Amino acid sequence: MVFGAPRIEEAEIAEVEACLRSGWLGTGPRVAQFEQDFARWRGVRPSQVAAVNSCTAALHVSMVAAGLEPGSEVITTPLTFCATVNAILHAGLQPVLADVDPVTQNIDPDAIEAAITPRTRAILPVHFAGRPCAMDRIMAIAERHGLVVIEDCAHAIETEFRGKPAGTFGDFGCYSFYVTKNVVTGEGGMILGRDEEHIARARILALHGMSKDAWHRFGDKGYRHYQVVECGFKYNMMDLQAAIGIHQLARVEQNWRRRAELWQRYDRAFADLPVGLPAAPEPDTRHGYHLYTLMIDPARCGMERDAFLDAMNAARIGTGVHYLSVPEHPYYQQRFGWRPEQWPNAMRIGRQTVSLPLSPAMSDEDAERVIVEVRALVGRQG
């Protein structure tokens, strides 16, 4: 069983074939449609979104478009994929880590407040596993200190906090359409912005810094000259990717409901086991149900996390680790002198966490096989 295998249906396959036959594979009309569909679904104007080739690109471009001066500090979570921190570095900024809440596993607003210095210019919260961060408190901190907020919504396309979608609180929201995510284009991302001028700049930055809608230069009306107005990046999404995303987005609610069913099934099946389960969603929020994470604490269940991973792999069930905390990695230790013990909650979670398969492509039989194997492993140890 492949971890995070996407559910691809005939509509995506037919759209990709039509795209191939059209001869227009690069950035073009299907990307424009995908942007319009996404904007409509999130309740914003098309001029407030820009499709790019990854969430990492979205984060990088957002920080550049925000005009944050080089060397400024950006506060983020230590419990995230390396791309979050790398994007900060690529933008010429300094990452500062603030520990997570041990229950929600999201960045702790009190830790954000404690990490602010005169050099702080932005907060980059990550809605971990599909659970919304405490955006009321984070936005209050940002407003009090005059900080930019860039939301990492890689896990949180469907997520809501108090009736409002994740990614629409801050100055920017950045989404992922990577192959394991809730809407899939293979590789891909989207920037959603409060300020249309910022998004217009992000769009230019994502395509070499070329003037607006440079892909029109090959249109029906003949060649149009473009102008390079910034030193941009090669971050544009292709129509070939958008061809998949258009139909994935059309089924986003259906797929979310299936993941919710699987999540609840896991909750019931593992309730009596000596493992840590994900906390229940907070009231007045909508969980994206992206990652179902077990905490394998050897003191409770008598088994090391890595032994659990190995046993699941031997049973041909794909699992993941989301995530070893950022300061566990040698590059950041060498560059910044970080040690995991400085962020104890993230360190403990990172050393105990296992993500189980959770995909709308899974059958009931697939889910039962996961449950039987987990119960056999942990029940035997416990």
Side-chain angles (χ1 to χ4, degrees), residues 279-295:
E282 291 81 8
D284 203 15
T285 69
R286 187 192 207 207
H287 201 300
Y289 298 125
H290 177 58
L291 295 174
Y292 191 93
T293 52
L294 292 181
M295 294 295 115

Side-chain angles (χ1 to χ4, degrees), residues 292-316:
Y292 191 93
T293 52
L294 292 181
M295 294 295 115
I296 307 295
D297 181 354
R300 279 186 69 192
C301 69
M303 187 179 202
E304 295 287 338
R305 189 271 307 279
D306 287 0
F308 180 93
L309 289 170
D310 290 342
M312 293 293 280
N313 186 59
R316 300 188 65 78

